[in-house]
Amino acid sequence: ASFENYSGRVYYGFDRRESVRPCPYDATMEVRIGMDFNINPMSATVFQEYLDGEIRQIDEIVIPTSNTDEMCDEIVKRYARDGKLTHITIYPDPAGAQRRTSAQGRTDIGILRDRGFNVVAMSSHPLVRDRVNVVNGKIQSADGIRHMYVDPKCKQSIKCYEQLCYKEGTNEPDKESQMDHLPDSAGYYIYGRFAYKPAARAHI
């Protein structure tokens, strides 16, 4: 495949020649999933972490015209171990605390918890630039070290990391391109895992 150089790229450090390499699933390790709750498509990125600080995207899940229950079913099908889900932690879009897509009026984050996943839910959206900066730091840090790799089978993710650009004259990613959902899901995991600091609860 040819490599195109897109100006104004959001994830400017991503280079398929350097960032893409085989990242096989290790069934002995925990699974961490970033999830975007856009209905069409529902998107999730699947990662595993290594002791040297490296994170590897082992999979992507994209389901057109879907809902959170269907996404849960797909994750269970791919990654449950003897019917257990305790090794899976999901870092969802904070909007899922309010969004209700089930007939029973359950929130999306409530659905994830009810299904038995570990859920780390941010109380609000981080600033887009902060989330993007944290992801870019994993893709390639200021000292040139790459801490994030993507498996070649994650074809849509690779395309999105390469082609998502800012709207001309702004620092806002171009959502009309439809290239934002998978990178957003990865960003919810990466920011939620490595940068998010929950506000301390007041003691009364």
Side-chain angles (χ1 to χ4, degrees):
S2 63
F3 175 76
E4 303 293 342
N5 186 21
Y6 292 85
S7 62
R9 292 174 59 212
V10 176
Y11 299 104
Y12 51 83
F14 186 87
D15 182 339
R16 70 169 62 206
R17 295 162 296 194
E18 301 290 339
S19 300
V20 178
R21 72 180 192 190
C23 300
Y25 170 50
D26 187 332
T28 68
M29 297 173 60
E30 293 188 11
V31 173
R32 299 184 185 274
I33 298 177
M35 187 177 296
D36 179 62
F37 286 126
N38 188 68
I39 295 173
N40 190 20
M42 281 281 291
S43 303
T45 47
V46 186
F47 288 83
Q48 292 191 299
E49 299 176 1
Y50 288 77
L51 293 177
D52 60 0
E54 186 174 294
I55 60 173
R56 301 179 187 175
Q57 184 178 336
I58 63 170
D59 201 2
E60 63 185 13
I61 306 173
V62 180
I63 309 176
T65 317
S66 186
N67 57 51
T68 305
D69 284 300
E70 289 183 2
M71 177 61 80
C72 289
D73 290 342
E74 186 62 27
I75 294 170
V76 169
K77 184 172 77 172
R78 297 190 192 193
Y79 292 107
R81 297 175 188 164
D82 298 322
K84 297 180 181 179
L85 303 172
T86 53
H87 60 288
I88 301 174
T89 301
I90 298 180
Y91 298 78
D93 177 351
Q98 289 79 39
R99 203 184 74 132
R100 291 172 168 80
T101 56
S102 72
Q104 294 78 30
R106 296 170 297 157
T107 66
D108 290 318
I109 288 175
I111 291 170
L112 297 175
R113 290 193 168 120
D114 288 346
R115 290 295 292 267
F117 297 109
N118 302 312
V119 180
V120 176
M122 293 182 282
S123 59
S124 61
H125 282 91
L127 294 174
V128 172
R129 66 174 178 268
D130 291 342
R131 173 163 53 84
V132 166
N133 285 342
V134 173
V135 175
N136 274 325
K138 284 295 183 183
I139 291 172
Q140 186 175 32
S141 58
D143 57 4
I145 304 300
R146 294 185 183 275
H147 302 278
M148 171 179 161
Y149 294 94
V150 182
D151 191 274
K153 75 177 181 181
C154 301
K155 297 183 185 301
Q156 293 187 61
S157 294
I158 293 167
K159 181 179 179 180
C160 292
Y161 293 135
E162 283 184 338
Q163 297 186 20
L164 180 62
C165 296
Y166 290 107
K167 285 185 178 181
E168 188 172 353
T170 76
N171 59 359
E172 290 296 322
D174 182 8
K175 291 186 172 294
E176 293 181 6
S177 69
Q178 297 295 304
M179 295 285 178
D180 57 314
H181 304 304
L182 283 163
D184 282 358
S185 68
Y188 296 136
Y189 152 63
I190 294 171
Y191 189 92
R193 174 70 169 147
F194 300 105
Y196 178 59
K197 295 178 174 59
R201 294 183 179 180
H203 295 284
I204 301 176

